[in-house]
């Protein structure tokens, strides 16, 4: 038995959330509904403007690992934090949820621990303003021995793809896992990230990965055929397993050419932050425990529905209990 069922590699970011209406977003020059990177001075301005802040360890893949921990899987996380108060908080919180934090906080004159200021509108849409700080500096030298090769599944975060050292870390992690008999996949994370690195993304997916998870905009960004069916077919031609979340239109999964469509019940979110991350948690749980694709997709939808019912990107309810209520059998 391997040490980990799922190991994630991604940004270690402290999420700071608050509610804000559209007028506030416009006043502050915040683009609604997307993630945008900000510099340190802009981060300080936005942080100071936040009222009634809710603070928690975040980062896309780290949120997914929190969901997997809720489901009882053995998990590990590869990420970079500074040896400051936020960094120590982050590492300790990951350990509390049962995820091994594989990298000790970095001491010395490095950049501070990363943080994301998230403004949640009345309709649940979230606008993320992320200062990457030290997490974006993760590279191959930060990969601890005995982690990726001891994982049944490694899950990569597309946001880390903006730097060459991040790309190199992804490739090294995927290869170490696959060489030891595991599988590797990625959450695309953001269509703008794809636009910046489309060729490298496609090369990674085709040559190094076994699965890819993305929403409709992210999947469509890979080939830009302006037709979702054509885009899905193109991605499925280079990757054995493609998972596309389509909001109220459900989830489309293509595994080895076999398509599965999973419907969803549309609900108005309290806070959409973490919906994709928790969908990934439910789906990866199904994948790790040998479920069929329809069941894995339904598990993803249940986990996503839980997280959008409250503020914050991580589950607050027992996901195993929700799965049982939905008639989904746990391993």
């Amino acid at each position: 038995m391997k040490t980990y069922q799922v190991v994630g590699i991604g940004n270690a970011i402290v999420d700071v959330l608050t509610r804000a209406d559209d007028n506030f977003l416009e006043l502050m020059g915040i683009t609604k509904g997307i993630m945008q990177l900000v510099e340190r001075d802009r981060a300080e301005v936005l942080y100071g403007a936040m009222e009634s802040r809710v603070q928690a360890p975040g980062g896309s893949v780290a949120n997914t690992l929190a969901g997997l921990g809720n489901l009882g899987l053995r998990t590990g996380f590869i990420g970079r934090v500074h040896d400051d108060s936020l960094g120590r908080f982050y590492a300790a919180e990951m350990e509390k949820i049962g995820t091994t934090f594989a990298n000790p906080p970095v001491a010395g004159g490095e950049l501070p621990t990363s943080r994301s200021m998230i403004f949640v509108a009345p309709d649940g849409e979230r606008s993320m303003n992320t200062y990457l700080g030290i997490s974006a500096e993760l590279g191959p030298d930060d990969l601890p021995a005995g982690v990726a090769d001891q994982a049944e599944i490694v899950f990569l975060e597309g946001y880390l793809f903006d730097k060459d050292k991040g790309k190199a870390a992804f490739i090294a992690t995927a290869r170490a896992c696959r060489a030891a008999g595991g599988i590797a996949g990625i959450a695309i994370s953001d269509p703008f990230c794809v636009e910046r690195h489309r060729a490298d993304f496609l090369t990674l997916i085709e040559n190094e990965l076994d699965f890819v998870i993305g929403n409709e905009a992210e999947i469509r960004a890979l080939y830009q055929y302006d037709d979702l069916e054509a885009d899905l077919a193109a991605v499925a031609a280079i990757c054995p397993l493609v998972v596309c979340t389509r909001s109220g239109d459900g989830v489309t999964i293509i595994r080895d050419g076999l398509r599965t469509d999973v419907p969803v019940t549309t609900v108005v979110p309290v806070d959409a932050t973490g919906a994709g991350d928790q969908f990934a948690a439910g789906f990866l749980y199904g994948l790790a425990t040998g479920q069929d694709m329809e069941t894995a997709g339904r598990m993803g939808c249940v986990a996503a529905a839980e997280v959008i019912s409250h503020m914050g990107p991580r589950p607050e309810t027992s996901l195993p209990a929700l799965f049982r209520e939905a008639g989904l059998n746990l391993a």
Side-chain angles (χ1 to χ4, degrees):
M1 183 177 71
K2 296 205 174 209
T3 305
Y4 308 103
Q5 289 164 289
V6 181
V7 165
I9 177 171
N11 281 308
I13 299 175
V14 177
D15 283 336
V16 188
L17 297 98
T18 192
R19 295 187 179 278
D21 59 25
D22 290 349
N23 289 334
F24 177 87
L25 297 179
E26 184 177 354
L27 177 66
M28 297 300 294
I30 297 170
T31 302
K32 185 177 180 181
I34 68 167
M35 190 285 288
Q36 57 187 356
L37 301 179
V38 298
E39 297 299 327
R40 190 170 180 174
D41 56 350
R42 171 71 167 164
E44 291 173 355
V45 169
L46 293 178
Y47 185 83
M50 303 180 88
E51 297 181 356
S52 303
R53 295 184 290 255
V54 176
Q55 186 168 290
S60 178
V61 163
N63 290 336
T64 296
L65 293 173
L68 290 168
N70 184 293
L71 286 160
L73 294 197
R74 305 183 308 277
T75 58
F77 179 68
I78 300 170
R80 233 169 179 258
V81 297
H82 185 58
D83 189 15
D84 53 19
S85 59
L86 280 180
R88 291 188 292 273
F89 161 79
Y90 191 99
E93 289 297 308
M94 292 298 288
E95 295 283 349
K96 280 183 184 178
I97 63 169
T99 293
T100 299
F101 194 83
N103 305 74
V106 178
E110 292 270 3
L111 295 169
T113 295
S114 311
R115 71 286 314 267
S116 181
M117 282 66 65
I118 302 172
F119 296 87
V120 183
D123 61 3
E125 276 292 332
R126 79 272 194 240
S127 307
M128 297 181 289
N129 299 265
T130 304
Y131 169 61
L132 291 176
I134 194 174
S135 68
E137 299 303 313
L138 187 142
D141 292 343
D142 296 303
L143 304 179
V147 178
D149 60 340
Q150 280 297 311
E152 296 174 11
I153 299 171
V154 294
F155 191 44
L156 315 175
E157 180 181 323
Y159 286 133
L160 263 182
F161 215 61
D162 268 317
K163 292 195 175 183
D164 288 342
K165 62 174 71 175
K167 296 175 185 177
F170 277 7
I171 292 170
T173 302
R175 288 179 178 175
C177 176
R178 298 176 87 199
I183 63 172
I186 193 169
I188 299 176
S189 297
D190 187 83
F192 298 108
C193 192
V194 174
E195 290 176 9
R196 293 191 293 270
H197 308 283
R198 183 172 292 106
D200 286 343
F201 256 112
L202 291 173
T203 298
L204 179 77
I205 291 168
E206 181 171 11
N207 298 316
E208 311 289 352
L209 302 182
D210 302 288
F211 65 91
V212 58
I213 300 175
N215 63 30
E216 182 174 346
E218 292 158 1
I219 294 295
R220 293 179 73 142
L222 286 168
Y223 279 94
Q224 295 185 300
Y225 288 140
D226 198 28
D227 178 89
L228 180 60
E229 294 303 317
D231 289 315
L232 279 168
V235 182
I238 65 168
C239 188
L241 174 57
V242 180
V243 184
C244 179
T245 58
R246 305 169 61 189
S247 299
D249 293 326
V251 179
T252 296
I253 303 167
I254 303 176
R255 187 178 200 181
D256 297 325
L258 180 63
R259 176 170 178 151
T260 302
D261 288 300
V262 180
V264 298
T265 301
T266 303
V267 296
V268 177
V270 173
D271 171 19
T273 309
D277 303 337
Q278 295 313 318
F279 171 85
F283 181 83
L284 289 177
Y285 175 84
L287 188 64
T289 57
Q291 306 290 337
D292 62 73
M293 290 297 95
E294 180 180 1
T295 300
R298 288 178 62 200
M299 287 175 163
C301 293
V302 169
E306 190 283 336
V307 82
I308 66 174
S309 70
H310 57 76
M311 286 281 286
R314 299 186 173 191
E316 295 182 350
T317 306
S318 167
L319 293 181
L322 292 178
F323 283 5
R324 285 189 289 269
E325 288 176 15
L328 299 168
N329 295 322
L330 279 75

